[in-house]
Each structure stands twice: as C-alpha cells, then as structure tokens.
C-alpha cells in the first residue's frame, strides 16, 4: 500500500531480529511513504484524492490526532492552543524559543485557549476522545465541543471539566475503561491505561476534577488526571489503537491486533521495562506505528522541533528492533496520512 504525505519524515524499519523472534504478521494494513531523504512534493494524495471510506489521519501535535473516514471525524486529545504553560513534573522548561512573546501561564492562571488557532484547524468534529485530564489534552476540548456539538468521551474528570464550561449533558459520554460501544460506521473499545512515569517515576495522581466547578477554571483546576485511557477505534477496513501517553497496561492490550498504533514516544518511556518490545509483541507486530506525544508542546508550531526529533531516534530504533516489518512514520503537523488496507 502507499501513503503519500507532504513534508513527511519516514523511517523504514529494517533491522533483522534473531531467529528466536516470532515472525511479524504480514496480512495487516500497512503504509508506504517516500524514501528517507527524498524531497516531498506538493499536491500529494490527501483528503481530496482518497478513496471512499478511506481512513485519513492528521497529527495535531502533542497527543492530538484527527481521524476521518469521509463521513465521521474523530479527534483524540486535540490541543491546538500550545500555550506557554507549566512544564510536566520533572520535565524541565522545554526548549525556550528566543524572542517568544507569548504570555506565560502559571498553574493559578485562568486556562485560556487560543480560540483563533483552534478555529483555524478544527472546523468539524463528531467525537472527541480524551485519554486523560491534563491541560495539554483537555484545554481546547470545551470550546471544540461547544462549537461542533461533538460527543466528548472521557473519564468523569474530563466530563466535569466539560460541565463547568456548559457543554450539554447530551454530548457527554463518561467512561472508565472496559466499555465497547458501537457507533454508526465504527466501534470503540475503551481500554484502561496508565499515565506516563513522569519525574523519574515519582509522578502519581488519584485526583479527579470535581463536579461542582464553574468556569472560568485555572490550569490547576483542569489538570486532575482522573485516570488514563487508551482507545481502539475499529473501522470496517482499519483498526487504530490510540495511546495518549508513554505507558500502557500490558494485560489490557494483549491479543489486540490493530493495523495502526499511535504510540507514546516521549522520553519518560525509558523509565519502563522493555517498553517498545513488550508493546510490539503484545499487539502481534502491527503494520504501522505513528509516534505521538513526542514533540515539545511548550513551544509554538513554527518553532524548531529538532531537539525532540533527535531524541525520537532511539524510539524509532526500538520499534525497528522489536518488529522489523513494522513501518514507522514520523508525522508532520496537519499533513494527511491516508491508510489503505
């Protein structure tokens, strides 16, 4: 199969495993992209050139994705505002940008999304899936829900943030993990998961945003994790497993066989034993991996992500070693990635 993506970084995974390794399956969906180093061209296949029913992904940055099949648009952790906010615990201050004039936010400041930026990139949504209630996953969701009337699927913590901003109850689907729902054109399995081991494994949160909150809320008020989820999205010809962080519960994903996996690829994964190897084996060697939550979300879209890209190379090698036939595409912001069975 072929994926044509403008300004796409491609990594061909072709490292041989030892004879003891289980051979990866070859019958699942896969994607091809331009050879590494080849200059991408304008006018490549995107939404206008896709086949009817073809699933197309777009990376929104951080852990955010748009998934569309020509009928339904699903957003995962859409975070477009990219405010100059507090860094994650133990995460430092990111990579400062010289001349950055954006307002600096502290935890006690009112959480204010960049409405113009959100509206420029999000015109429509039918469903918004939120993996957990941290500001880099949920800040923009109330505005998107009110604008598009999309159903918001997430934990009680996420839904309480939505309620605080007046999102109608009819749009809120509260889940905890274990649900397996049918919707028109796709089904959705909600999978219990676990947050990234931030701050060298010291991060822990059992906090949930309370139902009594009223907007406007501070960043601290929209930040209680409330538990972490993953989502398996099943279209007729594609299964996509989406993680919102750099961790997973192996027993909850064992035996799933997604075609495409959105895998947390941030530095905190290095705190986890055999992170990439166990994941590839548990999922029976998926055809396509797309790294997520690897970029520096504390800087604007136009800032260089070279330090994050450099740090990402070790993740690419891990996937290559664990599953040689799995292809890995490092996505470019807002560029279409069509999937073909």
């Amino acid at each position: 199969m072929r994926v044509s993506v403008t300004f796409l970084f491609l990594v061909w995974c072709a490292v041989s495993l030892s004879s003891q390794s289980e051979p990866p399956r070859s019958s699942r969906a896969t994607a091809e992209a331009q050879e590494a180093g080849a200059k991408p061209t304008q006018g490549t296949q995107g939404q206008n050139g896709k086949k009817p029913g073809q699933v197309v992904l777009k990376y929104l940055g951080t852990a955010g994705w748009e998934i569309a099949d020509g009928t339904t648009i699903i957003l995962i952790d859409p975070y477009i505002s990219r405010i100059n906010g507090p860094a994650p615990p133990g995460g430092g201050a990111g990579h400062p940008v010289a001349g950055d004039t954006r307002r600096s936010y502290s935890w006690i400041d009112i959480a204010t999304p960049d409405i113009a930026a959100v509206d420029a990139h999000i015109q429509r949504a039918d469903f918004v899936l939120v993996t957990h209630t941290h500001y880099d996953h949920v800040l923009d969701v109330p505005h998107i829900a009110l604008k598009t009337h999309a159903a918001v699927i997430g934990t009680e913590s996420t839904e309480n943030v939505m309620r605080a901003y007046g999102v109608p109850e009819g749009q809120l689907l509260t889940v905890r993990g274990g649900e397996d729902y049918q919707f028109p054109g796709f089904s959705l399995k909600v999978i219990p998961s676990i947050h990234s081991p931030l701050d060298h494994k010291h991060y822990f949160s059992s906090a949930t945003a309370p139902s009594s909150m009223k907007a406007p809320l501070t960043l601290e008020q929209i930040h209680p994790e409330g538990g972490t989820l993953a989502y398996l999205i099943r279209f007729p010809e594609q299964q996509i497993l989406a993680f919102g962080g750099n961790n997973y519960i192996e027993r909850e994903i064992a035996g799933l066989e997604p075609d495409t996996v959105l895998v947390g690829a941030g530095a905190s994964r290095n705190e986890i034993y055999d992170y990439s190897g166990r994941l590839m084996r548990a999922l029976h060697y998926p055809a396509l991996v797309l790294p997520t939550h690897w970029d520096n979300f504390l800087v604007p879209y136009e800032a260089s992500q070279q330090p994050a890209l450099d740090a990402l190379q070790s993740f690419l090698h891990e996937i290559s070693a664990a599953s040689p036939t799995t292809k890995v595409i490092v996505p470019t912001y807002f560029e279409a990635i069509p999937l073909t069975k």
Side-chain angles (χ1 to χ4, degrees), residues 312-326:
L312 184 62
Q313 298 310 304
S314 60
F315 170 79
L316 306 179
H317 291 303
E318 291 166 19
I319 298 297
S320 173
S323 185
T325 63
T326 295

Side-chain angles (χ1 to χ4, degrees), residues 24-44:
R25 78 182 180 280
S26 58
S27 60
R28 306 298 291 176
T30 186
E32 293 177 2
Q34 297 151 324
E35 290 188 27
K39 185 177 181 180
T41 58
Q42 297 288 341
T44 54

Side-chain angles (χ1 to χ4, degrees), residues 5-117:
V5 181
T6 309
F7 299 105
L8 182 68
F9 292 97
L10 169 71
V11 178
W12 289 97
C13 299
V15 177
S16 297
L17 288 177
S18 67
S19 59
Q20 288 84 4
S21 299
E22 180 182 349
R25 78 182 180 280
S26 58
S27 60
R28 306 298 291 176
T30 186
E32 293 177 2
Q34 297 151 324
E35 290 188 27
K39 185 177 181 180
T41 58
Q42 297 288 341
T44 54
Q45 183 184 24
Q47 291 280 15
N48 294 332
K50 74 183 188 68
K51 301 175 183 177
Q54 185 176 19
V55 177
V56 177
L57 281 69
K58 288 183 182 178
Y59 183 47
L60 309 179
T62 317
W65 292 83
E66 177 189 287
I67 303 174
D69 70 346
T71 301
T72 302
I73 296 178
I74 301 169
L75 303 180
I76 301 173
D77 289 350
Y79 176 56
I80 309 295
S81 292
R82 297 179 79 91
I83 63 171
N84 186 10
H95 308 291
V97 179
D100 187 359
T101 59
R102 295 176 303 154
R103 170 189 170 185
S104 178
Y105 284 82
S106 71
W107 290 114
I108 62 173
D109 288 327
I110 296 297
T112 307
D114 186 337
I115 299 299

Side-chain angles (χ1 to χ4, degrees), residues 60-61 63-66 73-82 112-130 135-153 158-159 161-162 165-168 171-172 301 334:
L60 309 179
W65 292 83
E66 177 189 287
I73 296 178
I74 301 169
L75 303 180
I76 301 173
D77 289 350
Y79 176 56
I80 309 295
S81 292
R82 297 179 79 91
T112 307
D114 186 337
I115 299 299
V118 175
D119 288 348
H121 293 288
I122 306 295
Q123 286 77 47
R124 181 193 150 201
D126 299 296
F127 296 87
V128 180
L129 313 182
V130 180
Y135 82 82
D136 53 314
H137 299 253
V138 79
L139 173 64
D140 295 344
V141 177
H143 172 70
I144 292 171
L146 291 169
K147 171 186 174 179
T148 66
H149 308 290
V152 179
I153 300 177
T158 291
E159 307 300 17
V161 172
M162 299 304 112
Y165 283 93
V167 177
Q171 289 177 235
L172 306 181
Y301 283 115
F334 307 113

